[in-house]
Amino acid sequence: VTNGGKTTLAEKLKKMLPNCDIISQDDFFKPESEVETDERGFKLYDVLDALYMDEMVKSIHNWIKSPASSGVVTEELQNTCDNLKNTEDVYILIVEGFLLYNYEPLNELWNRRYFLTLPYEECKRRRSTRVYQPADTPGYFDGHVWPMYLKYKNEFEENAINVVYLDGTKSQEELLSCVYSDIIQELKKLRE
């Protein structure tokens, strides 16, 4: 969901996890001139066609081929990770975005999937506090953003894509603790 805390969570995880990097879907938006406009005059940013998804997939594959050369700096593990031996050869890529599970070429890549949710009113309130380029036009949230969120959420749920739902109204610390613990468990499984 837009303004659910995806980027904040990813950045906090990166600071806590060893050999961790982030690829953000926001970095793959097409320029405004290439984004379609609907009959109401809304720029259709909340659709896959507004993004260079092939470039995103290529970036992820390039990272997978050579994570050590991606600029990720090996960091000391946090105290809670001390019992994980030899994690210096494990690299973690966090891919964050709002339409990740609806693009088939990405679905084979995920080890874990997390999905932040927000109720309509909270999402609209948060969205209204953000400044976008180009700026949201009046009615854009209700006329495009929220309907596209519901459409794509329903689409991946119909395809039975397995995700861990996270309540975006919880504190950043709660969300971080939940996802961090889950990732640590995944790392332990890799070591077994």
Side-chain angles (χ1 to χ4, degrees):
V1 69
T2 183
N3 293 279
K6 299 176 296 296
T7 303
T8 301
L9 178 60
E11 289 171 355
K12 287 179 182 250
L13 285 166
K14 181 179 178 179
K15 290 178 183 173
M16 294 179 70
L17 294 165
N19 303 324
C20 185
D21 207 357
I22 299 171
I23 291 179
S24 176
Q25 193 173 38
D26 285 351
D27 295 336
F28 296 90
F29 271 109
K30 293 177 179 176
E32 183 180 358
S33 62
E34 293 183 37
V35 176
E36 288 187 43
T37 304
D38 73 4
E39 67 280 352
R40 298 166 293 183
F42 293 148
K43 283 285 186 182
L44 303 179
Y45 280 103
D46 289 63
V47 297
L48 286 167
D49 286 343
L51 298 145
Y52 293 119
M53 291 303 294
D54 291 342
E55 290 299 314
M56 184 178 191
V57 171
K58 183 178 171 185
S59 293
I60 293 168
H61 281 291
N62 287 340
W63 188 94
I64 290 169
K65 286 178 195 164
S66 186
S69 66
S70 66
V72 175
V73 177
T74 302
E75 298 175 12
E76 290 298 312
L77 292 174
Q78 302 296 314
N79 291 337
T80 53
C81 294
D82 283 346
N83 58 349
L84 297 173
K85 304 298 181 214
N86 301 319
T87 54
E88 61 274 357
D89 62 343
V90 174
Y91 292 86
I92 300 167
L93 178 62
I94 298 170
V95 180
E96 68 95 6
F98 66 108
L99 289 175
L100 299 174
Y101 309 140
N102 303 87
Y103 191 66
E104 189 59 38
L106 290 174
N107 283 331
E108 65 207 36
L109 302 176
W110 312 128
N111 293 89
R112 303 292 287 159
R113 292 180 179 99
Y114 303 97
F115 189 91
L116 280 155
T117 62
L118 282 177
Y120 166 83
E121 289 298 332
E122 178 62 12
C123 185
K124 187 171 184 175
R125 184 193 68 74
R126 290 185 189 184
R127 178 85 182 203
S128 71
T129 66
R130 298 271 299 271
V131 177
Y132 290 93
Q133 274 310 102
D136 282 356
T137 56
Y140 188 67
F141 181 84
D142 288 319
H144 177 65
V145 175
W146 189 256
M148 289 298 98
Y149 161 70
L150 294 176
K151 174 186 183 275
Y152 284 112
K153 181 176 180 279
N154 288 336
E155 184 180 287
F156 82 74
E157 287 175 341
E158 286 173 8
N159 291 327
I161 292 176
N162 186 26
V163 299
V164 175
Y165 287 93
L166 301 171
D167 180 353
T169 63
K170 291 191 175 184
S171 73
Q172 291 179 5
E173 292 76 22
E174 284 179 277
L175 292 170
L176 179 63
S177 176
C178 173
V179 176
Y180 178 76
S181 297
D182 192 51
I183 291 171
I184 295 305
Q185 291 305 311
E186 280 294 303
L187 289 173
K188 286 180 182 177
K189 287 178 193 173
L190 286 173
R191 288 286 155 228
E192 293 175 350

